[in-house]
Amino acid sequence: MARKLKKKSSQSLITEVKQNHSRKRKKDDRFDLPMDCSSKKSDNLLDQHERKSLSTNQPIKWDVSTAVTAEILQDMGVSFLKDDLSLHSCQEPGPTPHCISIAEHKVPPKVARGPAFHSSIDNDSQANTSLNSSFCGVADDFVLFRRSKQEGIFGKDHLSEMSDEIILHILKYLPKSVLARCAQVNKRWKRLAYDESLWKRVDLGKKHLQPGVLGQVIDRGVVIMRLAISEVKLPIFNDFSLELKRHSFHRYSKLQYLDLSMVTIAVEGLNEILLVCKQLRKLSLEHCQVNSDTFCHIGANANLEVLNMTMCKGVTSEGLQAIICGCRRLVSWNLGWAHLSPDCIWSLVHSLPNSITHLNLSGCREKLLNEDIAVLVQRCPRLHSLDISDATLLTSEALNEILKLQHLQHLLVSRCYSIPPAHYLYLKNMSSLKHLEVFGVLTEMAIQSLRLSLPHIEINRQLFSTIARPTTGIHRTSIWGLRVRD
């Protein structure tokens, strides 16, 4: 009787374990989750208690529980997996050649004698033991190699080993925009990129300059600068105000050749630029607005030789006197179409320095008279080029005065309608004259006749005057014959 009770109790315990295992297995089948090796081995160990004859080396086949219908799986959002040979066979790979001796002496797993719920824990420890034993033959041959850190070819700073002279020779081939970026690398690059030898020539034509940019460029020691058709915003200098510079701070630039033709800038900005320019030799202010301060700043350049003020607005007789008094070495001066008043013309011709050799007074129309030409010839006897075009009140008397100029080479009298065409024949007595412009005065037949009468003079070869202009013809990369680009 006691044996029967023991058998019944053991059978009831096994039945309970099977029921719990089947419930767990049904849950895994519902979600179609693959089972790991530990769960496989725990199932094998439970089957050992039931069948007593299943070996661990035999392959295990898994099957899908049909207890769950397709409708339930569809509601759950899952479905049956398709058959795959890799999932049906879970046979462990055979032992490697290095592990043959260890695999032969492998001890078979022992059957747990305790309660059935300890079997999964024992099986996990057996799985770890078998996993460690499978790598036992590889451990002797496995070597962890760490490469030594080597300095790359591109990581070395070769410029740090070069002298400043060599680097400056390399940097001179870079454009100014690239030099400004190179100055942001470090302190040494900034010192080299802003070296004065790299900023002698600057071309900022047709640019839009933000406040303070032009002042930074001027401070780098620029000698030749072109700003034609550019737009410059105020202020020019960010660190000091105009009043501070004017009264207490002497800050002079090295600019000698400055082209501001048709630049878009306020008169205050123009004065701020000219305030720091004391060494100018050639200056162009074509189509700029000027005032009394502008003339004072121009007059401060004692070495000024060429001045272009074509179509300038705001010209006064006092301003012209300030330039004449300060610039005694002035050689070429262009005042064409500058809207000169009769007072300005009278003050100009009576005070011009005798150093003037090229003068443009075109566009005066009814304001330029014969008497003014007579005074001009007396004040400037060494004139080489004279432009008095569009002076409608000039007559043959003015032409007779011009004949006294022994060094005159180029004469422009276009649209001077009051001069009789026959009087141009008297120009054959001027041996120095080489070019004559009489556009809008003579017909084509008269011009051909005049060319036959004056064979040594070229007639109507140049439509526009080039006196004191920084650029002539198609040359846009140079001003007054000097390159503005390296």
Side-chain angles (χ1 to χ4, degrees):
M1 190 67 179
R3 290 180 180 177
K4 291 181 179 180
L5 291 174
K6 289 180 180 180
K7 288 180 179 180
K8 289 180 179 180
S9 62
S10 60
Q11 289 178 358
S12 61
L13 182 60
I14 292 172
T15 304
E16 264 184 63
V17 173
K18 283 183 177 181
Q19 290 177 356
N20 294 332
H21 180 66
S22 63
R23 291 172 184 170
K24 181 178 179 182
R25 190 171 180 180
K26 287 180 180 180
K27 291 180 179 179
D28 296 337
D29 291 338
R30 288 178 183 177
F31 293 99
D32 288 336
L33 299 174
M35 302 178 67
D36 55 358
C37 294
S38 62
S39 62
K40 293 177 184 178
K41 293 186 178 181
S42 63
D43 294 339
N44 293 338
L45 188 57
L46 291 174
D47 292 340
Q48 278 183 355
H49 290 284
E50 180 180 3
R51 290 176 297 209
K52 304 288 187 177
S53 62
L54 184 62
S55 61
T56 57
N57 294 328
Q58 292 179 354
I60 303 171
K61 295 183 179 180
W62 300 89
D63 196 4
V64 181
S65 177
T66 58
V68 182
T69 60
E71 291 79 2
I72 298 176
L73 294 176
Q74 187 175 3
D75 295 338
M76 297 173 62
V78 295
S79 62
F80 288 110
L81 296 174
K82 295 181 180 180
D83 295 337
D84 192 357
L85 296 176
S86 61
L87 296 175
H88 288 303
S89 61
C90 191
Q91 187 177 0
E92 295 180 358
T96 58
H98 298 284
C99 299
I100 293 175
S101 59
I102 299 175
E104 291 176 355
H105 298 286
K106 183 178 180 181
V107 181
K110 296 181 180 180
V111 179
R113 295 182 180 180
F117 54 82
H118 293 289
S119 61
S120 61
I121 301 174
D122 297 335
N123 198 19
D124 293 339
S125 62
Q126 292 175 8
N128 295 331
T129 305
S130 63
L131 185 62
N132 294 330
S133 63
S134 63
F135 292 95
C136 63
V138 187
D140 297 336
D141 299 335
F142 180 74
V143 178
L144 181 62
F145 177 73
R146 180 176 293 176
R147 294 184 299 177
S148 60
K149 186 177 180 181
Q150 298 179 357
E151 188 176 7
I153 300 176
F154 300 100
K156 189 175 181 180
D157 186 9
H158 296 282
L159 291 176
S160 61
E161 301 176 358
M162 298 182 183
S163 62
D164 293 350
E165 290 77 9
I166 297 177
I167 297 178
L168 287 174
H169 185 74
I170 297 173
L171 293 179
K172 75 177 184 179
Y173 295 100
L174 300 179
K176 299 300 183 290
S177 58
V178 179
L179 288 178
R181 295 180 182 178
C182 292
Q184 301 176 4
V185 176
N186 52 38
K187 291 183 178 179
R188 188 193 181 200
W189 279 57
K190 183 177 181 180
R191 176 175 55 82
L192 294 174
Y194 286 166
D195 190 81
E196 292 185 359
S197 62
L198 303 176
W199 295 86
K200 296 294 183 182
R201 313 169 189 266
V202 176
D203 184 9
L204 295 176
K206 299 181 181 180
K207 303 293 184 181
H208 298 273
L209 303 180
Q210 298 299 322
V213 174
L214 182 58
Q216 294 179 5
V217 176
I218 292 175
D219 289 340
R220 291 169 192 169
V222 182
V223 178
I224 306 172
M225 178 181 288
R226 179 174 178 262
L227 283 168
I229 323 176
S230 298
E231 181 180 357
V232 183
K233 295 184 179 180
L234 301 182
I236 305 300
F237 300 93
N238 287 330
D239 47 359
F240 293 96
S241 63
L242 185 61
E243 292 296 329
L244 184 62
K245 290 178 185 177
R246 180 180 298 172
H247 294 96
S248 61
F249 186 75
H250 300 284
R251 177 182 187 169
Y252 303 135
S253 68
K254 296 184 178 181
L255 276 172
Q256 296 183 14
Y257 306 90
L258 180 59
D259 182 11
L260 295 171
S261 302
M262 293 178 286
V263 64
T264 304
I265 187 174
V267 65
E268 294 81 11
L270 179 62
N271 293 333
E272 193 173 353
I273 296 173
L274 296 177
L275 177 63
V276 298
C277 297
K278 305 297 181 183
Q279 302 177 16
L280 288 176
R281 298 180 62 185
K282 296 182 180 182
L283 175 64
S284 177
L285 298 176
E286 184 173 341
H287 206 281
C288 291
Q289 180 69 39
V290 295
N291 57 14
S292 58
D293 293 335
T294 307
F295 292 109
C296 293
H297 299 324
I298 296 174
N301 295 270
N303 296 323
L304 188 64
E305 300 174 359
V306 177
L307 179 58
N308 181 22
M309 296 182 64
T310 306
M311 296 183 289
C312 279
K313 299 177 182 179
V315 179
T316 61
S317 59
E318 292 81 6
L320 295 177
Q321 289 298 321
I323 294 176
I324 293 172
C325 294
C327 306
R328 303 305 300 178
R329 298 182 181 180
L330 197 60
V331 175
S332 181
W333 198 354
N334 192 335
L335 287 168
W337 301 95
H339 306 285
L340 299 177
S341 63
D343 294 338
C344 292
I345 296 175
W346 188 90
S347 175
L348 179 67
V349 298
H350 283 80
S351 58
L352 275 173
N354 56 5
S355 61
I356 291 289
T357 58
H358 298 77
L359 182 63
N360 188 344
L361 294 176
S362 61
C364 292
R365 297 187 181 274
E366 296 87 3
K367 301 171 186 177
L368 186 61
L369 305 176
N370 295 331
E371 294 79 7
D372 299 327
I373 299 298
V375 176
L376 176 64
V377 171
Q378 294 178 1
R379 294 286 304 179
C380 305
R382 294 185 294 178
L383 279 174
H384 291 174
S385 180
L386 177 62
D387 187 358
I388 52 175
S389 301
D390 297 279
T392 58
L393 296 183
L394 294 181
T395 62
S396 58
E397 296 180 4
L399 190 60
N400 293 332
E401 294 292 336
I402 293 174
L403 292 175
K404 298 178 182 179
L405 298 172
Q406 299 179 0
H407 303 281
L408 189 63
Q409 299 178 3
H410 194 179
L411 177 62
L412 296 91
V413 286
S414 299
R415 295 171 296 277
C416 293
Y417 304 112
S418 299
I419 299 177
H423 280 70
Y424 292 114
L425 297 175
Y426 293 104
L427 296 175
K428 65 180 180 181
N429 298 325
M430 298 184 66
S431 58
S432 61
L433 189 62
K434 298 179 180 180
H435 303 278
L436 175 64
E437 315 300 336
V438 286
F439 289 99
V441 177
L442 305 177
T443 62
E444 189 65 27
M445 295 294 294
I447 292 176
Q448 294 296 334
S449 177
L450 187 62
R451 286 174 179 171
L452 294 176
S453 302
L454 305 174
H456 65 285
I457 300 175
E458 293 185 359
I459 301 173
N460 288 356
R461 298 295 184 183
Q462 185 174 324
L463 183 61
F464 301 103
S465 174
T466 59
I467 296 176
R469 289 182 179 270
T471 55
T472 58
I474 61 174
H475 303 287
R476 293 291 181 267
T477 59
S478 61
I479 55 175
W480 297 291
L482 302 173
R483 291 183 298 106
V484 293
R485 299 178 184 176
D486 295 326

